[in-house]
Amino acid sequence: MNDAALKLSNVKRSFRQGRVELEVLRGVDLAIRPGEIVALVGPSGTGKSTLLQISGLLEKPTSGEVLIAGTSAGTLSDDKRTALRRLHLGFVYQYHHLLPEFSALENVVLPQMIAGTGKGEAAKRATRLLEGMGLADRIKHRPAELSGGEQQRVAICRALANSPRLLLADEPTGNLDPHTSDHVFAAFLRLVREEGLAALIATHNPDLAARMDRTVSLSEGRLRESVPAE
């Protein structure tokens, strides 16, 4: 699949604990096309976060190949991996990690300016993203003045600010109550689809997983396609 935003081929990851080698990933294969939203499920401790870290070039696999938008990351220098990550990847975590001294708008503008976008253009895109997440009247508020759901929506906009090819999310609504989680996730999916991104989203919530295009399950170090129940 040459047009894949993310392609993992026989990815393995092991850690040494004393004399014991712990195999977390035992040969993972995965391809995600642009515009496709994939749920990553599995019990706690099975390696979902490790898989996301490797997919996001934040951690190197023990062996195997990681391709981002057709570029193999395995032989790249740290600087080139960082550049590839900045150009093509967006991240959403369970906790928002917003900069507290800046407004919602500024939190979405800053990563664009770091990437070289002019302030005016960055502000226009930030405003459009925040409005798309229902935050039109909150863009000048700082994180402490926002609810938990609003903070996470700002974090989602920040992840999308530089128009990444691939979005990686680790329990993006896991810290929210069920009602807020449902509302935020609906806005999240709508915005991701409008942007035409590929996305890999780890979740423990089967209802959220069912709203994505397909589901892959990580168990005993291997990834399997989940078949929906009839």
Side-chain angles (χ1 to χ4, degrees):
M1 186 179 295
N2 295 327
D3 64 341
L6 171 67
K7 185 175 182 180
L8 307 178
S9 298
N10 197 29
V11 166
K12 299 180 181 179
R13 184 67 171 104
S14 60
F15 300 90
R16 185 165 292 279
Q17 295 182 341
R19 296 182 179 180
V20 178
E21 187 168 343
L22 178 64
E23 293 183 289
V24 177
L25 303 177
R26 301 181 178 183
V28 168
D29 296 301
L30 176 65
I32 303 179
R33 299 183 302 274
E36 185 178 32
I37 302 175
V38 178
L40 173 62
V41 303
S44 296
T46 54
K48 296 191 301 297
S49 292
T50 297
L51 181 57
L52 287 173
Q53 293 281 92
I54 289 173
S55 299
L57 308 184
L58 296 171
E59 186 175 321
K60 293 184 179 180
T62 303
S63 63
E65 188 174 36
V66 180
L67 288 91
I68 303 295
T71 299
S72 178
T75 59
L76 297 180
S77 66
D78 287 343
D79 286 347
K80 289 185 177 180
R81 285 170 63 89
T82 299
L84 186 64
R85 186 165 57 243
R86 184 180 296 133
L87 182 63
H88 290 301
L89 302 177
F91 300 87
V92 182
Y93 299 100
Q94 193 171 33
Y95 184 70
H96 59 78
H97 297 296
L98 297 174
L99 297 173
E101 66 271 30
F102 294 106
S103 68
L105 181 68
E106 290 166 336
N107 266 280
V108 184
V109 164
L110 280 173
Q112 297 180 72
M113 293 183 66
I114 291 171
T117 303
K119 186 175 181 179
E121 184 180 343
K124 287 180 182 179
R125 176 160 174 79
T127 299
R128 185 180 68 78
L129 289 170
L130 290 164
E131 289 176 347
M133 288 294 280
L135 295 170
D137 60 344
R138 311 292 282 169
I139 62 175
K140 295 183 179 179
H141 290 68
R142 294 183 179 182
E145 301 170 312
L146 303 173
S147 69
E150 289 169 340
Q151 291 170 348
Q152 195 64 345
R153 280 185 274 171
V154 175
I156 291 166
C157 292
R158 180 184 57 189
L160 299 177
N162 285 325
S163 302
R165 296 280 297 275
L166 173 66
L167 182 69
L168 301 168
D170 196 354
E171 296 286 349
T173 59
N175 277 335
L176 306 177
D177 65 80
H179 175 75
T180 303
S181 173
D182 184 75
H183 182 67
V184 170
F185 197 76
F188 176 37
L189 284 184
R190 183 178 65 252
L191 191 56
V192 170
R193 293 193 189 284
E194 287 175 358
E195 292 285 312
L197 307 182
L200 179 62
I201 303 172
T203 181
H204 284 102
N205 188 323
D207 293 331
L208 296 186
R211 294 159 70 177
M212 300 186 224
D213 297 322
R214 61 187 173 101
T215 299
V216 292
S217 178
L218 187 61
S219 178
E220 298 180 346
R222 301 188 185 282
L223 202 63
R224 299 176 176 84
E225 195 87 16
S226 295
V227 179
E230 293 294 335

